[in-house]
Amino acid sequence: MYDREGTGVNKFTSINDGRGSFVGPNYIAVTPSDQILVSDAHLHCIYLTDISGNRVFKYGRRGSGPGDQLNYPQGVCIDHYGRTIIAEANNHRLHLVSPDGMLLCHLLTSKDGLYKPQAVTVDCDGHLIITQTWVGIVKVYEFV
């Protein structure tokens, strides 16, 4: 990590909880309180850490079932309420997760026409924007 002048201030390659390293860190987002959200596609989970790499929570475990099961999580973002949105490619769904790491719901699934979501963001007007790289589509939804 670097400050605004480009000086290195911190780097971490593992979660500071004694449980191991990242394997496939993929996408990142920063919360309003400067915590770092990291998707790890190969570990099939999302980590929320502080600026030093100390784990706040881990969300997800490998699988394709209900709840917090993830299969190749990709893009992550934080909405205006501090909730995490996860684009989960291989299960074709978006997870909405509370600020303390609990699943609230699946926002969209393959039943809604979602296919391999890659990146996700919420803009300042409350639109949910999703890329589906494999099929060359960007989708925009009203999201409040």
Side-chain angles (χ1 to χ4, degrees), residues 65-84:
D68 70 343
Q69 292 189 20
L70 295 171
N71 189 349
Y72 213 68
Q74 294 291 301
V76 292
C77 71
I78 307 296
D79 74 5
H80 304 299
Y81 301 101
R83 301 174 300 189
T84 298

Side-chain angles (χ1 to χ4, degrees), residues 2-134:
Y2 298 86
D3 64 18
R4 291 190 173 124
E5 286 75 43
T7 304
V9 293
N10 194 14
K11 167 183 141 179
F12 57 92
T13 58
S14 64
I15 303 299
N16 295 331
D17 64 359
R19 296 182 188 160
S21 300
F22 295 117
V23 176
N26 214 1
Y27 287 81
I28 59 171
V30 178
T31 70
S33 58
D34 289 332
Q35 294 174 316
I36 302 166
L37 194 61
V38 180
S39 69
D40 194 311
H42 297 289
L43 291 178
H44 306 281
C45 66
I46 305 298
Y47 290 103
L48 182 68
T49 72
D50 66 16
I51 199 77
S52 299
N54 298 306
R55 182 165 91 172
V56 176
F57 72 72
K58 174 188 172 197
Y59 172 84
R61 55 197 166 93
R62 185 180 188 147
S64 58
D68 70 343
Q69 292 189 20
L70 295 171
N71 189 349
Y72 213 68
Q74 294 291 301
V76 292
C77 71
I78 307 296
D79 74 5
H80 304 299
Y81 301 101
R83 301 174 300 189
T84 298
I85 301 171
I86 303 165
E88 182 195 5
N90 289 350
N91 286 332
H92 317 288
R93 57 191 178 188
L94 292 185
H95 295 240
L96 181 64
V97 178
S98 70
D100 60 347
M102 303 302 295
L103 176 68
L104 297 171
C105 68
H106 291 120
L107 287 172
L108 296 166
T109 69
S110 59
K111 293 177 184 175
D112 303 302
L114 199 61
Y115 181 75
K116 293 199 179 283
Q118 191 79 24
V120 61
T121 193
V122 176
D123 72 10
C124 60
D125 293 323
H127 297 104
L128 177 66
I129 305 166
I130 306 159
T131 63
Q132 295 180 147
T133 305
W134 287 59

